[in-house]
Amino acid sequence: MAQTDFESKNKVPSSMAQVGTITKYALLDYVRSRRFFIMLTIALLISALLTILVGYYRPESFLSSELTFYNRWWGTSVTFVVVLSGIFFGGDAISSEFQNKTGYFGVPNPIRRSSIYVGKWLAAFIASTVILVIFTAITVGNGFYYFSGVPYEFVESLLFALFYLVAVLGFTFFFSSLFKSSSISILVTAILFLFAFTLIQELVADLVQIEPWFIITYGAQIVGNVLTSPYPQHQITTTVARFTFTSFNATIPEGLAILGIYFIVTAVLGLILFERKEF
Amino acid sequence: MPSVETVNLSKRYGSFTAVSDLNLKIEGAKCVGFLGPNGAGKTTTLKMLTDLIIPSSGEALINGVNVHAQKKKALASVSALIEAPEIYASLTPREALTMIAEIRGVPSEERKKQVEDAVAEVRMEEWIDKRVGKFSKGMKQRICVASALLGNPTIVFLDEPTMGLDPRGMSEVREIIKSLRGKDRLIFMSSHILSEVSDVCDEVAMINHGKLIVYDTLPNVTAKFSGVNNVVEVGLAHSIDSKIVTQTIAALPGVVSAEKVDDKNLKISFSGGLDVQERLLNDIVNLNIGVISYKAASSELEEAYLKLITATL
Ligand SMILES: Nc1ncnc2c1ncn2[C@@H]1O[C@H](COP(=O)(O)OP(=O)(O)OP(=O)(O)O)[C@@H](O)[C@H]1O
Ligand SMILES: [Mg+2]
């Protein structure tokens, strides 16, 4: 029968292959979007500003040692680039499928929803990594200009930054599947990452004087801290008059654990939410 | 044989029941029209059949496979166009459709041709490599119709497929649906355009308030539920004498009644099918009363629809 012939020819691909398909086209969509362009511009602007300032003023605080250079240049800015990419590419990745109704095009096909989620996640990860790679290349270029090489701590820091990106995207994807409106999910993730987390982290540490181990940005400190020598103490208490101030620094294993747990928990929750979400 | 079945299928939103214990079994290669007033639950039913939403109770089965429990298997040879989907704005039709073809498992050597053929079917060849973002509503709808053709599906769900299209686009899409019907396929299509349904469908299912009212072949539904009469409206170039209407025209074979709407417009009820309608046109033209237009005012399906829907209000 003709029909049976056709069915055997059109075999629905494995979920793995379908994830690849979604990644490919979502990435194409990302890379052509205005957002990618804006994100790239921001990364280039930060790089250009640093290059010009450091090149012109040659500040001692940057150029006293190789490690200090990377700490100042990269340690202070890369988490911002990571967070911004996470918000740009993940902030409404899932909610836009509802708000823009693109979900009606892709979802009623023989494909698991989780494959769509994972495929879009990978696309966002690759798009953000492209930005990060460009930012890294400019940092290293400047590093080579002033010094002879790249300290191994920088390689660690780069890997931590990538891991932080994984966690941030896990988190933003979770939030984007929590809402049906693109702007709300972007806004909420932006507020959390750009203000709320750091605020809570400092309040908890300063006022309550406990370690803010439950905040993702606290774990992300390892990205910059690994570039300081020696690595900052886990807990620093200073007493001024009758007041005691305590500040905390995540140790590397602690930071990795925080980021890892954030990723796993939000990825699982995000997947569950998207599976049950109604169009 | 392709089959679509709902078993006690219900969808509740809070205390509101959008679809209520729907039991419908459609089997075989045919086109089934899905009718019902706004808010009747047509889209909700189609969404449950494609796993866009989860039934509150009951089951949606495609070829005997539960759609929610085993989506990938159930939808393996299904294509669907539900509501008005959007496409990733920076993709071109070629890219977006290739993505769908890949997901549906169209072999790589056939993809290019299938995508180009589908785009040609909806007359969008010129736009195949332009980004979708700037397309008009109807242009997007055409691409979505094209996506429903990919991968030679054996079951096709269409939710108001001609919505938003220009008149030519509507008739083109109707032709596409008709041509799909010939190829061993089950098509389940919602529509508000009754002439469209009677034109392309073999059977109709009607729902209202989430409940199935009738599911039968088109001739059975019209025979059972419409009156005997069809109505045509006749437009005239100049005024006509009432006598001619009440005596001459009313006496023509097949005519049940004839009345003047105003000086230049008549309404004629007749019993019988298209053959009678055709002969009647011939007869009144022969009366030399200056006929300039002749069109069916209501169809049997429309009458049946109105009767059934008001009966359940
Ligand atoms: N997400 C939702 N939340 C609450 N109520 C809903 C939701 N989706 C649909 N409904 C309700 O369910 C009912 C059926 O809606 P549905 O879209 O299935 O109607 P329809 O038959 O497709 O109508 P139309 O011809 O206007 O497209 C409507 O009363 C609608 O208000
Ligand atoms: Mg509808």
Side-chain angles (χ1 to χ4, degrees):
Chain A
M1 247 166 64
Q3 185 192 334
T4 348
D5 281 357
F6 233 107
E7 276 178 21
S8 58
K9 246 200 299 186
N10 271 21
K11 198 157 172 337
V12 177
S14 68
S15 290
M16 197 86 97
Q18 290 180 325
V19 166
T21 302
I22 297 288
T23 303
K24 183 165 64 182
Y25 290 97
L27 184 61
L28 198 59
D29 186 48
Y30 277 138
V31 171
R32 284 185 193 158
S33 68
R34 192 157 8 137
R35 263 187 222 179
F36 184 81
F37 187 73
I38 295 173
M39 193 55 229
L40 192 61
T41 312
I42 293 174
L44 290 177
L45 275 180
I46 297 175
S47 303
L49 201 69
L50 285 167
T51 306
I52 293 166
L53 289 180
V54 175
Y56 188 77
Y57 293 105
R58 311 231 157 202
E60 183 61 19
S61 61
F62 269 76
L63 300 176
S64 58
S65 80
E66 206 175 59
L67 206 55
T68 334
F69 171 82
Y70 282 100
N71 184 14
R72 288 274 149 165
W73 185 296
W74 165 273
T76 48
S77 53
V78 72
T79 49
F80 180 67
V81 173
V82 165
V83 162
L84 222 52
S85 307
I87 295 168
F88 269 50
F89 300 124
D92 67 345
I94 301 300
S95 54
S96 66
E97 295 282 337
F98 295 88
Q99 164 148 350
N100 302 342
K101 298 186 100 183
T102 48
Y104 286 93
F105 190 69
V107 175
N109 278 296
I111 181 171
R112 286 178 216 283
R113 285 194 183 194
S114 53
S115 305
I116 298 177
Y117 191 96
V118 174
K120 289 199 84 173
W121 190 92
L122 286 173
F125 180 71
I126 296 170
S128 309
T129 303
V130 170
I131 305 279
L132 196 61
V133 163
I134 293 170
F135 188 70
T136 308
I138 300 175
T139 309
V140 171
N142 275 278
F144 265 99
Y145 178 77
Y146 297 107
F147 302 96
S148 56
V150 178
Y152 80 91
E153 288 93 340
F154 177 70
V155 180
E156 278 184 309
S157 178
L158 176 60
L159 291 177
F160 293 165
L162 273 171
F163 194 46
Y164 184 39
L165 176 63
V166 169
V168 169
L169 280 174
F171 193 91
T172 53
F173 264 64
F174 159 68
F175 262 82
S176 77
S177 47
L178 200 56
F179 298 105
K180 275 192 174 179
S181 146
S182 294
S183 40
I184 290 183
S185 61
I186 287 191
L187 198 70
V188 170
T189 47
I191 290 174
L192 282 177
F193 275 102
L194 298 178
F195 315 102
F197 280 148
T198 27
L199 193 69
I200 297 171
Q201 184 188 322
E202 274 164 25
L203 284 179
V204 167
D206 287 350
L207 297 178
V208 195
Q209 312 225 326
I210 56 166
E211 186 183 5
W213 54 267
F214 42 88
I215 304 285
I216 185 172
T217 46
Y218 176 69
Q221 283 180 342
I222 59 169
V223 176
N225 282 350
V226 73
L227 294 169
T228 43
S229 176
Y231 194 90
Q233 274 188 307
H234 181 53
Q235 181 170 351
I236 305 165
T237 315
T238 35
T239 314
V240 181
R242 353 187 241 111
F243 300 101
T244 333
F245 296 96
T246 315
S247 66
F248 294 91
N249 284 293
T251 63
I252 289 179
E254 206 184 2
L256 291 177
I258 293 173
L259 298 182
I261 289 169
Y262 255 92
F263 173 69
I264 292 168
V265 170
T266 52
V268 169
L269 288 179
L271 271 168
I272 293 173
L273 276 178
F274 184 51
E275 286 285 354
R276 333 202 81 245
K277 197 110 177 170
E278 306 221 312
F279 280 84
Chain B
M1 201 159 54
S3 80
V4 172
E5 188 177 3
T6 67
V7 183
N8 296 326
L9 188 68
S10 302
K11 182 68 190 176
R12 288 177 285 275
Y13 290 109
S15 61
F16 178 79
T17 306
V19 172
S20 167
D21 276 326
L22 191 68
N23 286 292
L24 182 64
K25 182 162 182 155
I26 303 170
E27 213 170 6
K30 53 188 157 195
C31 178
V32 180
F34 197 22
L35 302 178
N38 293 124
K42 303 180 294 297
T43 303
T44 307
T45 305
L46 289 170
K47 280 179 178 174
M48 287 190 277
L49 284 167
T50 48
D51 197 43
L52 284 168
I53 59 175
I54 306 166
S56 307
S57 58
E59 285 186 296
L61 305 169
I62 289 178
N63 298 326
V65 181
N66 184 303
V67 177
H68 184 59
Q70 288 178 279
K71 177 191 174 185
K72 201 174 159 184
K73 187 171 176 213
L75 298 185
S77 64
V78 172
S79 76
L81 169 50
I82 313 267
E83 302 248 61
E86 288 285 333
I87 300 166
Y88 293 146
S90 55
L91 298 187
T92 65
R94 186 193 295 283
E95 290 157 355
L97 295 177
T98 308
M99 173 177 87
I100 298 295
E102 273 181 40
I103 291 173
R104 296 216 183 118
V106 177
S108 55
E109 65 276 8
E110 279 174 35
R111 255 177 240 151
K112 187 167 185 291
K113 185 171 182 312
Q114 270 205 28
V115 166
E116 286 175 356
D117 288 352
V119 171
E121 283 260 28
V122 296
R123 311 273 149 107
M124 290 287 288
E125 299 99 317
E126 263 181 66
W127 301 89
I128 189 166
D129 290 316
K130 304 260 168 32
R131 294 192 189 176
V132 174
K134 294 200 173 69
F135 284 13
S136 74
K137 192 168 113 203
M139 289 162 77
K140 286 181 197 158
Q141 182 76 358
R142 283 169 189 252
I143 299 303
C144 291
V145 171
S147 83
L149 309 177
L150 298 170
N152 277 285
T154 51
I155 296 177
V156 182
F157 294 119
L158 301 167
D159 189 16
E160 299 184 44
T162 57
M163 187 177 53
L165 296 181
D166 58 41
R168 213 186 85 192
M170 283 188 173
S171 83
E172 282 165 7
V173 167
R174 261 172 235 149
E175 291 310 311
I176 292 173
I177 299 171
K178 278 193 205 165
S179 71
L180 276 178
R181 200 176 47 171
K183 295 175 199 157
D184 241 342
R185 275 200 193 88
L186 170 55
I187 303 169
F188 190 36
M189 173 180 103
S190 86
S191 175
H192 289 298
I193 305 169
L194 297 176
S195 58
E196 179 172 291
V197 171
S198 46
D199 187 21
V200 303
C201 294
D202 311 290
E203 299 180 346
V204 284
M206 264 188 226
I207 63 167
N208 197 8
H209 301 304
K211 291 203 174 70
L212 187 69
I213 299 173
V214 64
Y215 169 53
D216 209 333
T217 62
L218 193 58
N220 280 350
V221 170
T222 52
K224 262 192 267 177
F225 299 102
S226 82
V228 277
N229 303 338
N230 285 328
V231 176
V232 288
E233 283 171 355
V234 181
L236 304 172
H238 37 78
S239 335
I240 184 169
D241 189 346
S242 299
K243 255 185 161 173
I244 304 179
V245 179
T246 50
Q247 294 179 1
T248 321
I249 296 179
L252 288 171
V255 172
V256 177
S257 71
E259 57 177 297
K260 270 168 78 166
V261 179
D262 56 43
D263 268 358
K264 293 182 183 174
N265 287 292
L266 308 179
K267 217 172 189 172
I268 305 173
S269 307
F270 64 93
S271 66
L274 287 172
D275 48 334
V276 178
Q277 188 172 337
E278 185 189 354
R279 199 189 56 223
L280 181 61
L281 171 62
N282 203 28
D283 289 346
I284 54 174
V285 168
N286 286 340
L287 290 175
N288 280 321
I289 50 174
V291 175
I292 50 171
S293 71
Y294 181 84
K295 73 173 203 305
S298 68
S299 65
E300 292 173 310
L301 182 58
E302 189 172 338
E303 270 192 47
Y305 176 89
L306 291 173
K307 272 201 187 134
L308 282 164
I309 296 305
T310 43
T312 60
L313 267 179

